Amino acid sequence: MNKKQIFLQLGLVILLGALCVFFLARNVSLEAAIEGVRQAHLTWLALAAVMLLLSWLLEAAVLKVMVGKRAKLGLFDSFYSTMVGQMFNQITPMAAGGQPAQLYVLVKKGVPGGSATSILLMKFLVFQVVLVLSFSGILIVGYGALAQAMPQLKLLMLIGYGVHVVVIVAMLLVVFYRKLAEKLAYGILYPVRFISKRKAVEWKIKLGGALVDFHEKSRQLVRSKRALLVTSLLTTAQLLLFFSVPYFIFQALGAPDITLLIGTVFHAFVVMFATVVPTPGGSGAAEMTFSGLFQSFVSPATLLIALLFWRILTSYSTILVGFFLILGESRKKIRRVKEKAVEGVSIRRRQRS
């Protein structure tokens, strides 16, 4: 994805979010919104930010555990890779850009391509399984409140569950059935034959070697029972912290009717549903689902302010952090190139003298 595509996707995220905010703001006076923001308790907002930060750190810890001794990956590198992936998740449909972006970063950080691919696939598989199981557990406790807030719950649940289950099954097939993975990969390469038969053969050979390496690394990860258990527990904690963010936001706005259980259940549903909607970062669907669930508990002004704080924290801050980390890495590379150039000039001068 080039810079033009990134800014186009980012613009779409902001546009969809702005349209949803405009729709919700039609019955809210500007004075009421401003007063609501002024009266927000900063301590509760800070706690919401802390929950989000901890969820990012736990995701970075998951990546660190999965990489293990396969490569030397520092804590900052794990966090950097995580935030780059989070950023691209927010600006691509169905979070499709996060994995390739993380793969690029890990390879650049010295993780072998086959290992990096299998690590990210297993990490994503663990995340999907834990997401579905966590939501199922949360749903058992809070189904009544969720069904009351959203009458069309059954249909939306069917869509959310259906897509996530299909993704999990497809990933399991790719991991455990090598021949099927090869057929799918070679099928994607087949059109290349019409352009260049030589290229098609070359790419098929390279792809075959990569698939062998991928499946070997995947089996090693599957056999690492302890690593899978630890990453599953860390991912569960990560999701629960992330799901709790709206509760702290609503407490900051003085909405006692939204308990920790309701906030967690509703946010879990938003994540389950919005991530399967084919818009960048689930934009539009996330805002409308969020407002549809919480609107019966608070006033229109409080709902609008909560939505703004929620999207700023969970989406826009993620994009900003990822962007600035990428910018910082780019500046480091430029500085290293300049230092090497200066060093080269110094060496040549000494040789001449």
Side-chain angles (χ1 to χ4, degrees):
M1 183 179 286
N2 56 40
K3 289 182 180 179
K4 184 178 179 181
Q5 291 173 318
I6 291 173
F7 284 112
L8 180 64
Q9 293 285 87
L10 180 57
L12 187 57
V13 170
I14 295 172
L15 175 62
L16 289 172
L19 288 173
C20 291
V21 170
F22 179 77
F23 177 77
L24 292 174
R26 68 192 190 284
N27 297 322
V28 178
S29 68
L30 181 61
E31 292 79 8
I34 293 173
E35 186 62 23
V37 173
R38 287 177 58 189
Q39 292 183 359
H41 295 280
L42 295 179
T43 303
W44 284 105
L45 288 176
L47 285 172
V50 169
M51 295 301 110
L52 182 64
L53 176 60
L54 288 174
S55 73
W56 290 345
L57 293 173
L58 284 172
E59 185 178 347
V62 169
L63 181 60
K64 176 72 175 169
V65 171
M66 282 207 163
V67 172
K69 297 179 180 179
R70 293 172 183 84
K72 188 177 180 181
L73 190 71
L75 290 173
F76 175 79
D77 291 336
S78 298
F79 183 72
Y80 173 69
S81 175
T82 295
M83 296 313 300
V84 170
Q86 286 272 7
M87 172 188 161
F88 279 90
N89 281 340
Q90 293 295 328
I91 63 174
T92 53
M94 298 181 71
Q99 298 294 314
Q102 277 192 291
L103 177 61
Y104 176 82
V105 171
L106 289 177
V107 172
K108 285 290 184 181
K109 295 295 181 181
V111 182
S115 294
T117 304
S118 58
I119 286 166
L120 290 176
L121 183 63
M122 292 302 295
K123 177 176 174 289
F124 185 60
L125 178 58
V126 168
F127 178 85
Q128 288 291 319
V129 171
V130 171
L131 174 62
V132 172
L133 291 177
S134 297
F135 178 67
S136 300
I138 291 170
L139 189 64
I140 293 171
V141 181
Y143 181 82
L146 196 55
Q148 186 176 359
M150 187 161 282
Q152 64 272 39
L153 175 65
K154 290 182 180 179
L155 175 61
L156 297 179
M157 275 179 55
L158 183 63
I159 295 171
Y161 268 116
V163 174
H164 284 287
V165 168
V166 168
V167 170
I168 290 170
V169 171
M171 292 170 68
L172 287 171
L173 289 173
V174 170
V175 170
F176 292 104
Y177 293 93
R178 179 175 159 186
K179 289 184 178 180
L180 176 62
E182 288 177 347
K183 286 181 180 179
L184 291 172
Y186 294 153
I188 295 171
L189 279 181
Y190 189 78
V192 179
R193 292 172 59 86
F194 298 107
I195 301 171
S196 171
K197 289 185 178 180
R198 184 176 63 82
K199 281 289 183 184
V201 172
E202 288 178 1
W203 288 3
K204 185 175 181 179
I205 293 171
K206 289 181 180 179
L207 184 59
L211 284 171
V212 170
D213 185 40
F214 164 74
H215 278 278
E216 287 179 356
K217 299 297 188 298
S218 296
R219 289 194 202 97
Q220 290 175 11
L221 284 171
V222 171
R223 287 194 293 267
S224 303
K225 299 294 191 297
R226 182 177 176 277
L228 287 177
L229 176 61
V230 171
T231 53
S232 297
L233 293 174
L234 289 173
T235 302
T236 302
Q238 171 205 341
L239 285 173
L240 290 176
L241 288 171
F242 182 71
F243 291 157
S244 71
V245 169
Y247 164 74
F248 294 97
I249 292 174
F250 279 109
Q251 296 312 299
L253 301 176
D257 291 339
I258 297 179
T259 62
L260 181 58
L261 175 62
I262 289 174
T264 301
V265 171
F266 286 9
H267 196 200
F269 179 79
V270 172
V271 174
M272 272 286 292
F273 179 69
T275 51
V276 303
V277 176
T279 58
S283 296
E287 287 88 349
M288 297 312 295
T289 308
F290 183 93
S291 59
L293 287 169
F294 289 107
Q295 64 182 351
S296 61
F297 291 86
V298 293
S299 67
T302 301
L303 179 63
L304 176 64
I305 298 166
L307 176 66
L308 285 171
F309 281 142
W310 173 65
R311 283 308 268 175
I312 288 171
L313 278 175
T314 62
S315 180
Y316 305 132
S317 69
T318 305
I319 294 170
L320 283 174
V321 171
F323 174 78
F324 281 114
L325 285 174
I326 292 172
L327 188 63
E329 284 290 300
S330 299
R331 287 179 175 174
K332 284 182 183 177
K333 288 180 182 178
I334 293 171
R335 188 163 59 249
R336 284 195 294 267
V337 169
K338 288 182 177 178
E339 287 173 354
K340 286 182 179 179
V342 171
E343 185 180 346
V345 170
S346 300
I347 292 172
R348 285 194 294 271
R349 284 178 177 173
R350 285 198 298 269
Q351 289 174 342
R352 288 172 185 170
S353 60

